[in-house]
Amino acid sequence: FIAVENIGGCCVLISSKAVYFLKNGDYTVHEAMFLEVKYDDLYHCLVSKDHGNVYIQLTRKAVNTSSGVAMPGPSQQKPMVRI
């Protein structure tokens, strides 16, 4: 465990191994967690603004790389969280 931040309608839990996005409210841990991104799977992180909204886009590494070079995965591997 490193930090917890309440941002908009969600809570971001940062640990030494992963980042977890949780819904605010009275939920069990399994119900509240809607996204987990492990640092080993993370290619890069991008913060963007669109029409007054702020988004965090987390690009995961490709599942298979024959060359061993980390490359961004397909579009479904780029979850975007509105904060």
Side-chain angles (χ1 to χ4, degrees):
F1 171 76
I2 294 175
V4 173
E5 290 291 328
N6 284 313
I7 303 173
C10 69
C11 178
V12 181
L13 173 70
I14 302 167
S15 77
S16 60
K17 304 231 183 230
V19 177
Y20 305 91
F21 290 86
L22 309 161
K23 294 181 259 182
N24 285 335
D26 191 20
Y27 299 100
T28 67
V29 173
H30 297 292
E31 292 172 335
M33 185 170 39
F34 63 89
L35 179 61
E36 171 189 3
V37 180
K38 295 180 181 172
Y39 294 128
D40 290 343
D41 298 334
L42 189 61
Y43 182 71
H44 72 81
C45 179
L46 175 68
V47 177
S48 62
K49 294 181 182 179
D50 184 29
H51 294 69
N53 295 317
V54 179
Y55 297 89
I56 297 175
Q57 182 179 27
L58 303 161
T59 303
R60 294 180 178 167
K61 293 177 187 173
V63 177
N64 294 325
T65 57
S66 58
S67 65
V69 176
M71 297 295 291
S75 60
Q76 68 267 24
Q77 292 295 86
K78 295 181 181 183
M80 197 171 243
V81 179
R82 183 177 137 193
I83 55 172

